[in-house]
Amino acid sequence: MEFRGFRAVGGVSLNVRRGTIHALIGPNGAGKTTLFNLLTKFLTPTAGTIFYKGEDITKVKPADVARRGLVRSFQISAVFPHFTVKENVRIALQRRLHGDSFDFWRSQRVLHALDAESLELVEAVGLLAFANVPAGQLSYGRKRALEIAATLALDPEVLLLDEPMAGMGHEDVERTAALIRRVSENRTILMVEHNLSVVAALSDRITVLTRGQILAEGDYATVSADPRVVEAYIGAGHA
Amino acid sequence: MSGASTTDAVTDAALARETKSDRTLHALIFVGLAMAVAIAPFLLYPVLVMKILCFALFALAFNLLLGYGGLLSFGHAAFFGMAGYVCAYAAKVWGLTPELAILCGTAVSALLGFVLGSLAIRRQGIYFAMITLALAQMIYFISLQAKFTGGEDGIQGVPRGKLFGLLDISSDLALYAVTAVIFFAGFLAIYRIIHSPFGQVLRAIRDNEPRMISLGYRVGRYKLIVFVLSATIAGLAGSTKALVFQLASLTDVHWAMSGEVVLVTLVGGMGTVFGPVAGAAVIVAMETYLAQFGASVMIMQGSVFVVCVMLFREGIVGRLARLFRVSL
C-alpha cells in the first residue's frame, strides 16, 4: 500500500489460519492499522491480492466484505453516541436478522423483536446496567466493550479487532480478554494489540510488523526470543 | 454528551432521544397543528397560509435529507421548481385534473431525484453540496431555455380545475382544504420515514458512516433512497404550489430557492420534527409583511438569519426542545 509514494505496507504476506487467535504487533507506524484497512477494504491496495476462504476479495466493497463474515472494529471507538447501548447492538443485529432495512414505511416498533437478543449481547460484555444509557455517555473502556458487543452481533467468522484494550482500565482488560477468549470458539480473530501480556496470554500466533514489513512470526516464545523483535521494540543498536 | 464524533452542526438538543412521552407529545402537537390549520384561513389570507404550507412541506422534505440523513443538498430548488413546471404544464396544456397534474409533477421530481442523487451521493460533505448545486444549475438553465417552461414568462394562468373531475377547487377555500390534506399527508409520511427501521439506519449512518459500513450496511443505497424520498416530497410541495399560485416560474428553480429552504430549515431547527414548519411560517410571514420595504427585505432576512444562528444555533424548535428537555 502506497500513500503518494510512501510505502506504508509492502511485501507483507500474512496468512491467518481458521479458528486461531492471531495477534499483529509492532511499534507505532508499523502499518498495522493500514493492514487492517486493506483487509477490510477500507483502503484499496495499490498492489497484491487478498484471499478469504480461498476467494479473491481484493475488489470487493467494504460493506460486502462485512457481509461475508469479515468484521472489524476500529481503533478510535466507533459507537453511535446518540443511540442507547441496547440500540447500538440492535443496529448491528438489524442488518443480520432484519435484513437490508429499506422499509421506510414500517414503524420502528418492529425492531423491538430484536431487543431480547440485543440485551443478551449487552449482558455478555457486562453493560446490562447501562442498556438504556446513550452510548456517548459511557466511559472509554465501556465504549470499547460495547463496540465488541455490536461486532459480535453480526456473528462474524473472522473478527478483526484494532487495539481492543487501548485505554481500558485493568479490570476491563481482564474482562475483555476473557470475552475474546470466549468468543474465539468457532471463530478466527486477528487483533492488533499493544498490551503484550494480553497478546501472550491470548494468541496462538503472532506476527511482528515494522516499517510495513513482517519482521518475525510464530508463537509468543519464538517471537519474544527473536533479537530483531527486541531491537525493534526497544530501539537498541542505533549505531 | 458532547457528541464529538457527529456532524458539528447537528446539535445535541435536536438529536435528543425520543421516549414514549415524546411520541404522545408529538401526537398532541399534530392535533394542535391540524386545528390551527383548520382555523387559519378564516383569520389570515388563505393564499398566504397555503404558501406557508407548501414551503413547510418543502422544508420538511429538505430536513429529512439534511437533519436525518446528514446530507446537505444545495440544489433542492431543482425538484421544487421542476415539479411545479410539470404540474402546471400537465394541468394547463394536457388539461389533466389537479390530482393527476400533481402526481405527474411529483413523479418527475422522484425520477429527477434518482438521477441527480445517483451522481451526488458518490461524494461527501462539501463536494456533495457542490454537485447538487451544479446539477440544479443545469436544471435551471434547462428551465430557462426549454420551450415547455415558457422561459422568462413561466407557465401562467394554470387552471386549478376540478378534483377527480368532480369537485371544483377554483375557490381559495376549496383549494385550501386540498393543500392542507396534502401537507399533512406529506408530513405524516416523513414522520413515519424518520421512525422506521430505515430511519434508524439513516441516523446511524449520519452519526458514524464507517462503522455502518463495517457492520455490512451498503450505505450508498440508503443515501440514494432518502435522497429520492426527499426529492419526491419536495416535488409534491412544488406541484401544489404551482396550483395555488396558478403559476410556475424561474423563481422556484433558482438557486436562491435552494438557499431559502436551507434558511427555513435552519431557522426552524434542523433535525427536529416540527422545526421546518415553524421556520416556514416565520420566513414566509416575514417576506410577506415586510414586502412593502422592497429590496431591503433581503437585508432584514439576512439579519434575522445571522441573529438566529448566533443566538440559537439549533433553531427555534431545537431551542424550545432543549429548554423543555423534550424531543420535538
Side-chain angles (χ1 to χ4, degrees), chain A residues 62-64 66-67 72 74 78 80 82-84 87 91 94-95 101-102 104-108 147 151, chain B residues 6 12 15 17 192-193 195-198 200-201 204 207-208 210-218 222 225:
Chain A
D64 294 320
R67 283 160 173 256
R72 67 172 297 175
F74 289 82
F80 303 105
H82 301 103
F83 282 15
T84 63
E87 287 168 340
I91 197 84
Q94 192 178 331
R95 217 267 299 139
S101 298
F102 300 138
F104 56 80
W105 55 89
R106 275 207 276 186
S107 165
Q108 63 189 1
E147 203 191 325
T151 308
Chain B
T6 58
D12 282 339
L15 293 166
R17 292 187 26 72
R192 172 44 70 87
I193 293 167
H195 297 93
S196 70
F198 171 79
Q200 284 290 100
V201 174
D207 283 358
N208 196 336
R211 180 55 175 161
M212 282 303 269
I213 295 172
S214 82
L215 291 177
Y217 282 100
R218 292 162 173 155
Y222 293 89
I225 291 174

Side-chain angles (χ1 to χ4, degrees), chain A residues 34 65 82 168:
Chain A
T34 304
V65 169
H82 301 103
M168 277 191 188

